[in-house]
Amino acid sequence: MKRSAGLLLFHHTDNGLDVLLGHMGGPFFARRDAGAWTIPKGEYEPDESAWAAARREFEEELGLPPPDGEALALGEVRQTNGKIVTAWAIEADLDPATIAPGSFRMEWPPRSGQLQEFPELDRVAWFGLDRAREVIVKAQAAFLDRLAEHSP
């Protein structure tokens, strides 16, 4: 069973709580909005702790060190593909223009024999909770609800 871990950044605005999400890179999500946004996260092996993986993946996906601060455990969700995702929320500010995303290689177009490189996340943005629920990977919406329960 595959496991991923990630960090959900949040901050308070005059309009309420905002969260930082990343739009998944690559050709499968290029023209999608709903269900194509995710917390910065990635897979890890059993010999690595979920917390260490969440911090490592944040840096790999955004090209920035993970923020310091008190981490709120948001628990786990199971995505429709069966992957278990563990997340923590940290209150922090981040300018989306400062990201330098990592990349991955895949054969594209399919069966072409050509390898192309794509960004892990092709953009990041701050969303209010209502809008975030509309665009985030469906199972990850539970993280938004759990964060809202713990925020003043």
Side-chain angles (χ1 to χ4, degrees), residues 61-139:
E61 296 220 346
L62 300 181
L64 300 169
D68 292 324
E70 186 178 338
L72 171 65
L74 298 177
E76 296 180 343
V77 298
R78 180 184 300 271
Q79 297 186 159
T80 55
N81 63 5
K83 183 184 291 183
I84 302 292
V85 180
T86 305
W88 288 266
I90 297 179
E91 187 168 7
D93 282 317
L94 183 147
D95 179 354
T98 63
I99 70 157
S103 61
F104 67 95
R105 293 172 58 91
M106 67 180 282
E107 183 180 13
W108 191 259
R111 295 177 294 286
S112 67
Q114 296 178 316
L115 285 179
Q116 290 194 42
E117 196 163 312
F118 298 97
E120 295 268 357
L121 299 173
D122 57 21
R123 60 191 183 274
V124 298
W126 289 99
F127 292 92
L129 289 180
D130 289 341
R131 179 69 178 133
R133 283 185 188 93
E134 295 172 3
V135 299
I136 198 167
V137 171
K138 188 174 183 175

Side-chain angles (χ1 to χ4, degrees), residues 20-68:
L20 186 78
L21 301 178
H23 186 270
M24 291 182 272
F28 298 121
F29 300 100
R31 290 179 170 73
R32 290 183 51 197
D33 198 39
W37 292 80
T38 181
I39 65 169
K41 63 169 185 49
E43 292 183 8
Y44 64 99
E45 298 298 324
D47 63 342
E48 183 179 21
S49 76
W51 172 246
R55 294 181 57 78
R56 175 183 51 76
E57 286 293 334
F58 184 93
E59 188 155 3
E60 286 180 14
E61 296 220 346
L62 300 181
L64 300 169
D68 292 324

Side-chain angles (χ1 to χ4, degrees), residues 74 76-77 138-147:
L74 298 177
E76 296 180 343
V77 298
K138 188 174 183 175
Q140 292 179 29
F143 294 141
L144 304 177
D145 297 337
R146 294 170 191 167
L147 174 62

